[in-house]
Amino acid sequence: MNRKQMNRIVCSLPLVALAVSGCSGGSNQANPSSAPTPSASGDASAAKPIADGKAVTLKVFQMNAGITDQEFQENFVDAVKKKFPNVTMELVRSGKGTTKEDLMTTGQFPEIILTTSWDMVQFQDASLLTDLNEYVRKSNFDLNQYEKNTIDSIKLYSDRGELFALPYSFNFEVLYYNKSIFDKSGIPYPKDGMTWEDVIALGKKLTAADPTIRAIDPNGLRWIAQSFLVPFVDPKTEKAAVSTDDWKYLFEMFKAIEDIPDDKKTKKGVAGFEKDQTLAMYASSGGRIGEIEDLSKQGINLNWDMVTFPLRQGHPSKEVATQAHVLAVSSTAKSKDDAFRVISYLTTDKEIQTRLAKGGAVPAIKDAEARSQFGKDFKTLQGKNVQAIFKNVYGTMGKPTRYDDVVKTAVQSALDKMIKEKLDVNTTIRFAQETADKAIEAEKARKK
């Protein structure tokens, strides 16, 4: 997922939760030079001046948790300068020559990490995360300021109660659809609460009326698996967990979508849905909203709307996974106290979090007023089914492992093989399990 695609992110929570959320946003704007003592309010930034008041630059390493240059300027550089006048924030994006491995090798890894909760395992495996519990205790910082799901998604990476990050905002998942394609065929629009079986049936109706379009892009197999809280690895055996009913359902679902007689030569993803506008339905995340708004400013209009993320028919769970964008203190930071004070401020200040909400993101803090500002800066959201975002129920996935990524690659390879060679699902699952187990063993050997 590229930077622009993920530059705006939204939490999906029940509406009742939004209505009753308390307001405890740690927005104390005291002059840092006054050096007040930490208080029970949970404002960890209200302490002695950072770096004893001397000019200092704190760098932020960003990987996958997309943020635009303008957003970084407003919500990091300007916001921190307002609170801590002697501090300058600098962004380092992961890329060619600036991967975490490159920066570790040169001893230049930044003090702060901006990433997603789903990517934390990569930093944990590289011993780059600092346990923040000590700094929480010293400053009487109140973790109850955050929505519980965001903290729970971070604590998944704890083996002994560690807290490796603070939540900055949520992501969300919905089914986007092109209203013009439905209008042309005279077929009713998708509705909230649909299952994937409903979506596939709609896709078949669309292509029966117009075979020149592509009916459905469910997004990547690994993404759907994570969304449905389906584990990749058994943490006890450290074997791939692919030979299960959950994975059989997923492979069968993707096969059913592939079997729809639509135009497979048309593009999928952002290109097909936003640019060519030949993709009828697209399961994706919050980044699409920002992209659609940007296209509108360029004079490219899309007749679209969204509904809740499709569920599995007959499955007892109605939850999809929580994904938070998080801020962490790197283990290489010279002053972890200072870095913690900065991230605690960024993740709880009401002004910052309200600005996030207006720009199409739902902050991680419990603040109904800030959340009510969601999307206020977006003209393209007017008249849209915004409530679909908040109707999904987010849950906590199983404990991640350091071998999840190699299994994700293996299952995608198996799906590609199934489609290309027209394999049956059972054969595909056996291939996926064998390939994934071999990949895990190879990864273990590589890290010895």
Side-chain angles (χ1 to χ4, degrees):
M1 189 172 298
N2 66 37
R3 167 167 54 89
K4 187 174 181 181
Q5 287 175 323
M6 286 295 295
N7 67 0
R8 296 174 177 90
I9 50 181
V10 183
C11 160
S12 179
L13 292 174
L15 291 176
V16 174
L18 297 182
V20 301
S21 292
C23 179
S24 53
S27 55
N28 190 333
Q29 295 295 320
N31 186 331
S33 63
S34 63
T37 57
S39 69
S41 67
D43 185 1
S45 65
K48 67 178 183 179
I50 284 179
D52 295 325
K54 299 176 182 178
V56 64
T57 297
L58 295 180
K59 296 182 179 181
V60 179
F61 179 76
Q62 175 255 324
M63 187 184 83
N64 290 344
I67 186 170
T68 65
D69 291 340
Q70 180 179 346
E71 288 168 340
F72 187 78
Q73 181 68 38
E74 292 177 353
N75 294 327
F76 283 75
V77 178
D78 295 344
V80 170
K81 184 67 70 174
K82 180 179 178 180
K83 179 71 173 178
F84 307 106
N86 62 308
V87 179
T88 299
M89 302 297 291
E90 184 178 315
L91 181 63
V92 180
R93 300 187 188 278
S94 178
K96 186 176 181 180
T98 56
T99 65
K100 65 179 185 299
E101 291 81 10
D102 293 329
L103 298 171
M104 289 172 67
T105 299
T106 59
Q108 298 179 16
F109 193 83
E111 293 82 2
I112 295 171
I113 299 166
L114 171 62
T115 190
T116 77
S117 56
W118 289 3
D119 292 297
M120 282 177 58
V121 70
Q122 298 183 40
F123 295 92
Q124 185 180 28
D125 203 30
S127 299
L128 279 172
L129 299 178
T130 297
D131 181 6
L132 303 180
N133 280 317
E134 173 187 350
Y135 308 97
V136 168
R137 287 192 296 269
K138 285 196 301 185
S139 59
N140 293 324
F141 185 67
D142 185 9
L143 294 176
N144 290 319
Q145 295 177 83
Y146 303 109
E147 290 289 348
K148 184 176 182 298
N149 270 8
T150 60
I151 290 293
D152 287 347
S153 70
I154 291 169
K155 288 183 177 180
L156 285 172
Y157 297 87
S158 167
D159 292 322
R160 296 178 297 277
E162 301 97 335
L163 178 69
F164 288 122
L166 297 179
Y168 183 59
S169 55
F170 280 96
N171 200 359
F172 78 92
E173 298 162 344
V174 292
L175 181 71
Y176 297 94
Y177 64 94
N178 185 313
K179 296 175 73 173
S180 296
I181 292 177
F182 281 86
D183 291 342
K184 181 180 178 181
S185 302
I187 294 171
Y189 300 143
K191 298 179 180 179
D192 290 336
M194 293 179 69
T195 65
W196 276 106
E197 287 72 19
D198 296 328
V199 173
I200 291 169
L202 263 184
K204 290 178 179 178
K205 289 180 181 178
L206 285 173
T207 54
D210 183 2
T212 67
I213 55 98
R214 184 181 283 267
I216 306 164
D217 181 358
N219 217 307
L221 175 58
R222 62 175 68 185
W223 185 77
I224 291 288
Q226 286 181 149
S227 299
F228 279 142
L229 314 176
V230 176
F232 293 90
V233 177
D234 183 334
K236 294 181 180 179
T237 65
E238 293 189 336
K239 298 287 186 182
V242 180
S243 299
T244 64
D245 289 341
D246 284 333
W247 278 101
K248 183 176 182 181
Y249 174 89
L250 290 174
F251 278 110
E252 288 176 341
M253 174 189 130
F254 273 76
K255 184 177 187 304
I257 292 172
E258 182 66 23
D259 288 344
I260 294 174
D262 54 4
D263 188 353
K264 297 295 189 290
K265 295 188 295 294
T266 57
K267 295 176 182 177
K268 298 194 295 183
V270 171
F273 188 75
E274 297 176 12
K275 297 179 181 178
D276 294 352
Q277 299 188 17
T278 53
L279 173 61
M281 294 177 281
Y282 183 28
S284 194
S285 56
R288 307 294 75 74
I289 290 179
E291 292 165 358
I292 293 170
E293 179 75 9
D294 289 343
L295 287 174
S296 177
K297 292 177 181 178
Q298 299 169 31
I300 303 172
N301 295 310
L302 174 66
N303 187 17
W304 69 285
D305 211 331
M306 56 187 164
V307 294
T308 53
F309 189 78
L311 301 171
R312 289 179 279 179
Q313 183 172 290
H315 197 277
S317 174
K318 307 302 180 186
E319 296 179 335
V320 290
T322 297
Q323 184 191 42
H325 283 202
V326 302
L327 287 170
V329 175
S330 75
S331 59
T332 60
K334 292 181 179 179
S335 176
K336 296 179 176 58
D337 283 279
D338 289 343
F340 175 77
R341 288 171 59 202
V342 168
I343 69 169
S344 65
Y345 166 64
L346 291 170
T347 57
T348 60
D349 180 73
K350 184 171 180 176
E351 183 178 345
I352 296 172
Q353 297 293 303
T354 300
R355 191 159 52 240
L356 277 174
K358 288 181 177 180
V362 172
I365 58 171
K366 296 175 183 175
D367 194 309
E369 184 180 355
R371 289 169 183 272
S372 71
Q373 299 300 307
F374 167 69
K376 294 293 186 181
D377 291 344
F378 285 2
K379 292 182 179 179
T380 51
L381 276 178
Q382 295 179 10
K384 303 304 180 187
N385 182 26
V386 173
Q387 298 307 319
I389 294 170
F390 305 106
K391 289 180 181 178
N392 291 333
V393 179
Y394 269 51
T396 304
M397 61 186 183
K399 187 172 179 60
T401 77
R402 64 181 58 187
Y403 306 114
D404 284 5
D405 284 347
V406 295
V407 177
K408 292 173 186 177
T409 300
V411 294
Q412 184 60 51
S413 176
L415 177 63
D416 295 341
K417 184 179 180 69
M418 180 182 79
I419 293 172
K420 183 178 180 179
E421 300 180 15
K422 300 189 182 304
L423 301 178
D424 64 86
V425 169
N426 289 333
T427 300
T428 302
I429 289 175
R430 285 196 297 272
F431 174 78
Q433 181 73 43
E434 293 170 3
T435 304
D437 283 340
K438 290 179 181 178
I440 289 173
E441 292 306 314
E443 185 69 5
K444 289 180 178 180
R446 185 182 71 83
K447 292 184 176 181
K448 283 184 178 179

Coordinates of all heavy atoms in Angstrom, one line a residue, residues 267-339:
K267 N -8.6 -3.0 -15.7 CA -7.8 -2.9 -14.6 C -8.5 -3.1 -13.3 O -9.7 -2.8 -13.2 CB -7.1 -1.6 -14.6 CG -6.1 -1.4 -15.7 CD -5.5 0.0 -15.7 CE -4.6 0.2 -16.9 NZ -4.0 1.6 -17.0
K268 N -7.8 -3.5 -12.3 CA -8.3 -3.7 -10.9 C -7.8 -2.5 -10.1 O -7.1 -1.6 -10.5 CB -7.9 -5.0 -10.3 CG -8.5 -6.2 -11.0 CD -8.4 -7.5 -10.2 CE -6.9 -7.9 -9.9 NZ -6.9 -9.2 -9.2
G269 N -8.1 -2.5 -8.8 CA -7.6 -1.5 -7.8 C -7.9 -0.1 -8.1 O -9.0 0.2 -8.7
V270 N -7.0 0.8 -7.7 CA -7.2 2.2 -7.8 C -7.4 2.6 -9.3 O -8.2 3.4 -9.7 CB -6.1 3.0 -7.2 CG1 -6.2 4.5 -7.5 CG2 -6.1 2.8 -5.7
A271 N -6.6 2.0 -10.2 CA -6.6 2.4 -11.6 C -7.9 2.1 -12.2 O -8.5 2.9 -13.0 CB -5.5 1.7 -12.3
G272 N -8.5 0.9 -11.9 CA -9.8 0.5 -12.4 C -10.9 1.2 -11.9 O -11.9 1.6 -12.6
F273 N -10.9 1.5 -10.5 CA -12.0 2.1 -9.9 C -12.1 3.6 -10.0 O -13.1 4.2 -10.4 CB -12.1 1.7 -8.4 CG -13.3 2.2 -7.7 CD1 -14.5 1.5 -7.9 CD2 -13.3 3.3 -6.9 CE1 -15.7 1.9 -7.3 CE2 -14.5 3.7 -6.2 CZ -15.7 3.0 -6.4
E274 N -10.9 4.3 -9.8 CA -10.9 5.7 -9.7 C -10.6 6.4 -11.1 O -11.1 7.4 -11.4 CB -9.9 6.2 -8.7 CG -10.2 5.8 -7.3 CD -9.1 6.2 -6.3 OE1 -8.3 7.0 -6.7 OE2 -9.2 5.7 -5.2
K275 N -9.7 5.8 -11.9 CA -9.2 6.4 -13.1 C -10.0 5.9 -14.3 O -10.7 6.7 -15.0 CB -7.7 6.1 -13.3 CG -6.9 6.8 -12.2 CD -5.4 6.5 -12.3 CE -4.6 7.1 -11.2 NZ -3.1 6.8 -11.3
D276 N -10.0 4.6 -14.6 CA -10.7 4.1 -15.8 C -12.2 4.0 -15.5 O -13.0 4.1 -16.4 CB -10.2 2.7 -16.2 CG -8.8 2.8 -16.7 OD1 -8.2 3.9 -16.9 OD2 -8.2 1.7 -16.9
Q277 N -12.6 3.9 -14.2 CA -14.0 3.8 -13.8 C -14.7 2.7 -14.5 O -15.9 2.8 -14.9 CB -14.7 5.1 -14.0 CG -14.0 6.2 -13.1 CD -14.8 7.6 -13.1 OE1 -15.9 7.6 -13.5 NE2 -14.1 8.6 -12.8
T278 N -14.0 1.5 -14.6 CA -14.6 0.3 -15.2 C -14.8 -0.8 -14.2 O -15.2 -1.9 -14.5 CB -13.8 -0.2 -16.4 OG1 -12.4 -0.3 -15.9 CG2 -13.8 0.8 -17.6
L279 N -14.4 -0.5 -12.9 CA -14.5 -1.5 -11.8 C -15.8 -1.1 -11.0 O -15.9 0.0 -10.5 CB -13.3 -1.5 -11.0 CG -13.3 -2.3 -9.7 CD1 -13.5 -3.8 -10.0 CD2 -12.0 -2.1 -8.9
A280 N -16.7 -2.1 -10.9 CA -18.0 -1.8 -10.3 C -17.9 -1.7 -8.8 O -18.4 -0.8 -8.1 CB -19.0 -2.8 -10.7
M281 N -17.2 -2.7 -8.1 CA -17.1 -2.8 -6.7 C -15.7 -3.1 -6.2 O -15.0 -3.9 -6.8 CB -18.1 -3.9 -6.2 CG -19.5 -3.6 -6.4 SD -20.6 -4.9 -5.8 CE -20.5 -6.1 -7.2
Y282 N -15.2 -2.4 -5.2 CA -13.8 -2.4 -4.8 C -13.8 -2.4 -3.3 O -14.1 -1.4 -2.6 CB -13.1 -1.2 -5.4 CG -11.6 -1.2 -5.1 CD1 -10.8 -2.3 -4.8 CD2 -11.0 0.1 -5.1 CE1 -9.5 -2.2 -4.6 CE2 -9.6 0.2 -4.8 CZ -8.9 -1.0 -4.6 OH -7.5 -0.9 -4.4
A283 N -13.3 -3.5 -2.7 CA -13.1 -3.5 -1.2 C -11.8 -2.9 -0.9 O -10.7 -3.4 -1.4 CB -13.2 -5.0 -0.7
S284 N -11.8 -1.9 -0.1 CA -10.5 -1.2 0.2 C -10.6 -0.4 1.5 O -11.6 -0.5 2.2 CB -10.1 -0.3 -1.0 OG -8.8 0.1 -0.9
S285 N -9.6 0.4 1.7 CA -9.5 1.1 3.0 C -9.7 2.7 2.8 O -10.1 3.2 1.8 CB -8.1 0.8 3.6 OG -7.1 1.1 2.7
G286 N -9.4 3.4 3.9 CA -9.6 4.8 3.9 C -8.9 5.7 3.0 O -9.4 6.8 2.7
G287 N -7.8 5.2 2.4 CA -7.0 6.0 1.5 C -7.8 6.4 0.3 O -7.5 7.5 -0.4
R288 N -8.8 5.6 -0.1 CA -9.6 5.9 -1.3 C -10.3 7.2 -1.2 O -10.5 8.0 -2.2 CB -10.6 4.8 -1.6 CG -10.0 3.4 -1.6 CD -9.1 3.1 -2.8 NE -7.8 3.7 -2.6 CZ -6.9 3.2 -1.7 NH1 -7.1 2.1 -0.9 NH2 -5.7 3.8 -1.5
I289 N -10.8 7.6 0.0 CA -11.5 8.8 0.2 C -10.7 10.0 -0.2 O -11.1 10.9 -0.9 CB -12.1 8.9 1.6 CG1 -13.2 7.9 1.8 CG2 -12.6 10.3 1.9 CD1 -13.7 7.9 3.2
G290 N -9.4 10.0 0.3 CA -8.6 11.1 0.0 C -8.2 11.2 -1.5 O -8.1 12.3 -2.1
E291 N -8.0 10.1 -2.1 CA -7.7 10.1 -3.5 C -8.9 10.6 -4.4 O -8.7 11.3 -5.3 CB -7.4 8.6 -4.0 CG -6.1 8.1 -3.4 CD -5.9 6.6 -3.5 OE1 -6.8 6.0 -4.0 OE2 -4.8 6.1 -3.1
I292 N -10.1 10.2 -4.0 CA -11.3 10.6 -4.8 C -11.4 12.1 -4.6 O -11.8 12.8 -5.6 CB -12.5 9.9 -4.3 CG1 -12.4 8.4 -4.7 CG2 -13.8 10.5 -4.8 CD1 -13.5 7.5 -4.0
E293 N -11.1 12.7 -3.4 CA -11.2 14.1 -3.2 C -10.2 14.8 -4.1 O -10.5 15.8 -4.7 CB -11.0 14.4 -1.7 CG -11.0 15.9 -1.4 CD -12.3 16.5 -1.3 OE1 -13.3 15.8 -1.4 OE2 -12.4 17.7 -1.2
D294 N -9.0 14.3 -4.1 CA -7.9 14.9 -4.9 C -8.3 14.8 -6.4 O -8.0 15.8 -7.2 CB -6.6 14.1 -4.7 CG -6.0 14.4 -3.4 OD1 -6.4 15.3 -2.7 OD2 -5.1 13.6 -3.0
L295 N -8.9 13.7 -6.9 CA -9.3 13.6 -8.3 C -10.4 14.7 -8.6 O -10.3 15.3 -9.7 CB -9.9 12.3 -8.6 CG -8.8 11.1 -8.7 CD1 -9.6 9.8 -8.9 CD2 -7.9 11.3 -9.9
S296 N -11.3 14.9 -7.7 CA -12.3 15.9 -7.9 C -11.7 17.3 -8.0 O -12.2 18.1 -8.9 CB -13.3 15.9 -6.7 OG -14.3 16.9 -6.8
K297 N -10.7 17.6 -7.3 CA -10.0 18.9 -7.4 C -9.3 19.1 -8.7 O -9.1 20.2 -9.2 CB -9.0 19.1 -6.3 CG -9.6 19.2 -4.9 CD -8.6 19.3 -3.8 CE -9.2 19.4 -2.4 NZ -8.2 19.4 -1.3
Q298 N -9.0 17.9 -9.4 CA -8.4 17.9 -10.7 C -9.5 17.9 -11.8 O -9.1 17.9 -13.0 CB -7.5 16.7 -10.9 CG -6.3 16.7 -9.9 CD -5.6 15.3 -10.0 OE1 -5.6 14.7 -11.0 NE2 -5.1 14.9 -8.8
G299 N -10.7 17.9 -11.4 CA -11.8 17.9 -12.4 C -12.2 16.6 -12.9 O -13.0 16.4 -13.8
I300 N -11.8 15.5 -12.2 CA -12.1 14.1 -12.5 C -13.1 13.7 -11.5 O -12.8 13.4 -10.3 CB -10.9 13.2 -12.5 CG1 -9.8 13.7 -13.5 CG2 -11.3 11.8 -12.9 CD1 -8.5 13.0 -13.4
N301 N -14.4 13.5 -11.9 CA -15.4 13.2 -10.9 C -15.8 11.7 -11.0 O -15.9 11.2 -12.1 CB -16.6 14.1 -11.2 CG -16.3 15.5 -10.8 OD1 -15.8 15.8 -9.8 ND2 -16.6 16.4 -11.8
L302 N -16.1 11.1 -9.9 CA -16.5 9.7 -9.8 C -17.8 9.7 -9.1 O -18.0 10.2 -8.0 CB -15.4 8.9 -9.1 CG -15.8 7.4 -8.7 CD1 -15.9 6.6 -10.0 CD2 -14.7 6.8 -7.8
N303 N -18.8 9.0 -9.7 CA -20.1 8.8 -9.1 C -20.1 7.6 -8.3 O -20.3 6.5 -8.8 CB -21.2 8.7 -10.3 CG -22.6 8.7 -9.7 OD1 -22.8 9.1 -8.6 ND2 -23.5 8.2 -10.5
W304 N -19.9 7.7 -7.0 CA -19.6 6.6 -6.1 C -20.3 6.7 -4.8 O -20.9 7.7 -4.4 CB -18.0 6.6 -5.8 CG -17.6 7.7 -4.9 CD1 -17.5 9.1 -5.3 CD2 -17.4 7.7 -3.5 NE1 -17.1 9.8 -4.2 CE2 -17.0 9.0 -3.1 CE3 -17.3 6.7 -2.6 CZ2 -16.7 9.3 -1.8 CZ3 -17.0 7.0 -1.3 CH2 -16.7 8.3 -0.9
D305 N -20.2 5.6 -4.1 CA -20.7 5.6 -2.7 C -20.0 4.3 -2.0 O -19.2 3.7 -2.6 CB -22.2 5.5 -2.6 CG -22.7 6.2 -1.3 OD1 -21.9 6.3 -0.3 OD2 -23.8 6.8 -1.3
M306 N -20.4 4.1 -0.8 CA -19.8 2.9 -0.1 C -20.8 2.3 0.9 O -21.8 2.9 1.3 CB -18.6 3.4 0.7 CG -18.9 4.6 1.7 SD -17.4 5.2 2.4 CE -18.0 6.8 3.1
V307 N -20.5 1.0 1.2 CA -21.3 0.3 2.2 C -20.4 -0.4 3.1 O -19.2 -0.4 2.9 CB -22.3 -0.7 1.5 CG1 -23.4 0.0 0.7 CG2 -21.5 -1.7 0.6
T308 N -20.9 -1.0 4.1 CA -20.1 -1.7 5.1 C -19.3 -2.8 4.4 O -19.6 -3.4 3.4 CB -21.0 -2.4 6.2 OG1 -22.0 -3.2 5.6 CG2 -21.6 -1.3 7.1
F309 N -18.2 -3.2 5.1 CA -17.3 -4.2 4.6 C -18.1 -5.6 4.6 O -18.7 -5.9 5.6 CB -16.1 -4.4 5.5 CG -15.0 -5.3 4.9 CD1 -14.2 -4.8 3.9 CD2 -14.8 -6.5 5.4 CE1 -13.2 -5.6 3.4 CE2 -13.9 -7.4 4.9 CZ -13.0 -6.9 3.9
P310 N -18.1 -6.3 3.5 CA -18.9 -7.5 3.4 C -18.4 -8.6 4.4 O -17.3 -8.7 4.7 CB -18.6 -8.0 1.9 CG -18.2 -6.8 1.2 CD -17.5 -5.9 2.2
L311 N -19.4 -9.3 4.9 CA -19.1 -10.3 5.9 C -19.2 -11.7 5.3 O -19.5 -11.9 4.1 CB -20.2 -10.3 7.0 CG -20.3 -8.9 7.8 CD1 -21.5 -8.9 8.7 CD2 -19.0 -8.7 8.6
R312 N -18.9 -12.7 6.1 CA -18.9 -14.1 5.6 C -20.3 -14.7 5.9 O -20.7 -14.7 7.1 CB -17.8 -14.9 6.2 CG -16.4 -14.6 5.7 CD -15.3 -15.4 6.4 NE -15.0 -14.9 7.7 CZ -14.1 -15.5 8.5 NH1 -13.5 -16.6 8.1 NH2 -13.8 -14.9 9.7
Q313 N -20.9 -15.2 4.9 CA -22.2 -15.8 5.1 C -22.1 -17.0 6.1 O -21.3 -17.9 5.9 CB -22.8 -16.3 3.8 CG -24.2 -16.9 3.9 CD -24.8 -17.1 2.5 OE1 -25.1 -16.2 1.7 NE2 -24.9 -18.4 2.1
G314 N -23.0 -17.0 7.1 CA -23.0 -18.1 8.1 C -21.9 -18.1 9.1 O -21.9 -19.0 10.0
H315 N -21.0 -17.2 9.0 CA -19.9 -17.2 10.0 C -20.3 -16.5 11.3 O -21.0 -15.4 11.2 CB -18.7 -16.5 9.4 CG -17.4 -16.8 10.1 ND1 -17.0 -16.1 11.3 CD2 -16.4 -17.7 9.9 CE1 -15.9 -16.6 11.7 NE2 -15.5 -17.6 10.9
P316 N -20.0 -17.0 12.4 CA -20.4 -16.4 13.7 C -19.8 -15.0 14.0 O -20.5 -14.2 14.6 CB -20.0 -17.4 14.8 CG -18.9 -18.2 14.1 CD -19.3 -18.3 12.7
S317 N -18.6 -14.8 13.5 CA -18.0 -13.5 13.8 C -18.4 -12.5 12.8 O -18.4 -12.7 11.6 CB -16.5 -13.7 13.7 OG -15.8 -12.4 13.9
K318 N -18.7 -11.3 13.3 CA -19.1 -10.1 12.4 C -18.0 -9.1 12.5 O -18.1 -8.0 12.0 CB -20.4 -9.5 12.9 CG -21.5 -10.5 13.0 CD -21.8 -11.2 11.7 CE -23.0 -12.2 11.8 NZ -23.2 -13.0 10.6
E319 N -16.8 -9.5 13.0 CA -15.7 -8.5 13.2 C -14.7 -8.5 12.1 O -14.5 -9.5 11.4 CB -15.0 -8.8 14.5 CG -15.8 -8.7 15.8 CD -15.1 -9.0 17.0 OE1 -14.1 -9.8 16.9 OE2 -15.4 -8.5 18.1
V320 N -14.1 -7.4 11.9 CA -12.9 -7.2 11.0 C -11.8 -6.7 11.9 O -12.0 -6.1 12.9 CB -13.2 -6.4 9.8 CG1 -14.2 -7.0 8.8 CG2 -13.7 -5.0 10.2
A321 N -10.6 -6.8 11.4 CA -9.4 -6.5 12.2 C -9.3 -5.0 12.4 O -9.5 -4.2 11.5 CB -8.2 -7.1 11.6
T322 N -8.8 -4.7 13.6 CA -8.4 -3.3 13.9 C -7.0 -3.1 13.3 O -6.0 -3.8 13.6 CB -8.3 -3.0 15.4 OG1 -9.7 -3.2 15.9 CG2 -7.8 -1.6 15.7
Q323 N -6.8 -2.0 12.6 CA -5.5 -1.6 12.2 C -5.3 -0.1 12.6 O -6.1 0.8 12.2 CB -5.3 -1.7 10.6 CG -3.9 -1.3 10.2 CD -3.7 -1.2 8.7 OE1 -4.6 -0.6 8.1 NE2 -2.6 -1.7 8.2
A324 N -4.3 0.1 13.4 CA -4.0 1.5 13.8 C -2.7 2.0 13.2 O -1.8 1.2 12.9 CB -3.9 1.5 15.4
H325 N -2.7 3.3 12.9 CA -1.4 3.9 12.6 C -0.8 4.3 14.0 O -1.5 4.8 14.8 CB -1.6 5.1 11.7 CG -1.8 4.7 10.3 ND1 -1.6 5.5 9.2 CD2 -2.3 3.5 9.8 CE1 -1.8 4.9 8.1 NE2 -2.3 3.7 8.4
V326 N 0.5 4.0 14.2 CA 1.1 4.1 15.5 C 2.4 4.9 15.5 O 3.0 5.0 14.4 CB 1.4 2.8 16.1 CG1 0.1 1.9 16.2 CG2 2.4 2.0 15.3
L327 N 2.7 5.5 16.6 CA 4.0 6.2 16.8 C 4.8 5.4 17.9 O 4.2 5.2 19.0 CB 3.8 7.6 17.2 CG 3.3 8.5 16.1 CD1 2.9 9.9 16.6 CD2 4.4 8.7 15.0
A328 N 6.0 5.1 17.6 CA 6.9 4.4 18.5 C 8.2 5.1 18.7 O 8.6 5.9 17.9 CB 7.1 3.0 18.0
V329 N 8.8 4.9 19.8 CA 10.2 5.4 20.1 C 11.2 4.3 19.8 O 11.1 3.2 20.2 CB 10.3 5.8 21.6 CG1 11.7 6.2 21.9 CG2 9.3 6.9 22.0
S330 N 12.1 4.7 18.9 CA 13.1 3.7 18.5 C 14.1 3.4 19.6 O 14.4 4.2 20.5 CB 13.9 4.2 17.2 OG 14.8 5.1 17.6
S331 N 14.6 2.2 19.6 CA 15.5 1.7 20.6 C 16.9 2.5 20.5 O 17.7 2.4 21.4 CB 15.8 0.2 20.5 OG 16.3 -0.1 19.2
T332 N 17.1 3.1 19.3 CA 18.3 3.8 19.1 C 18.3 5.3 19.5 O 19.3 6.0 19.4 CB 18.7 3.7 17.6 OG1 17.7 4.4 16.8 CG2 18.9 2.3 17.1
A333 N 17.1 5.8 19.9 CA 16.9 7.2 20.3 C 17.8 7.5 21.5 O 17.9 6.8 22.5 CB 15.5 7.5 20.6
K334 N 18.5 8.7 21.4 CA 19.4 9.1 22.5 C 18.6 9.5 23.7 O 19.0 9.2 24.8 CB 20.3 10.2 22.0 CG 21.3 9.7 20.9 CD 22.3 10.9 20.5 CE 23.3 10.4 19.5 NZ 24.1 11.5 19.0
S335 N 17.5 10.2 23.5 CA 16.7 10.6 24.6 C 15.3 10.1 24.4 O 14.5 10.7 23.7 CB 16.7 12.2 24.8 OG 15.8 12.5 25.8
K336 N 15.1 8.9 25.0 CA 13.8 8.3 24.9 C 12.7 9.1 25.6 O 11.5 9.1 25.2 CB 13.9 6.8 25.3 CG 14.8 6.0 24.5 CD 14.9 4.6 25.0 CE 15.8 3.7 24.1 NZ 17.1 4.2 23.9
D337 N 13.1 9.7 26.7 CA 12.1 10.5 27.4 C 11.5 11.6 26.5 O 10.3 11.9 26.5 CB 12.7 11.2 28.7 CG 12.9 10.2 29.8 OD1 11.9 10.0 30.5 OD2 14.0 9.7 30.0
D338 N 12.4 12.3 25.8 CA 12.0 13.4 24.9 C 11.1 12.9 23.8 O 10.1 13.5 23.4 CB 13.2 14.2 24.4 CG 13.9 15.0 25.4 OD1 13.3 15.2 26.5 OD2 15.1 15.4 25.2
A339 N 11.6 11.8 23.2 CA 10.8 11.2 22.1 C 9.4 10.8 22.6 O 8.4 11.0 21.9 CB 11.5 10.0 21.5

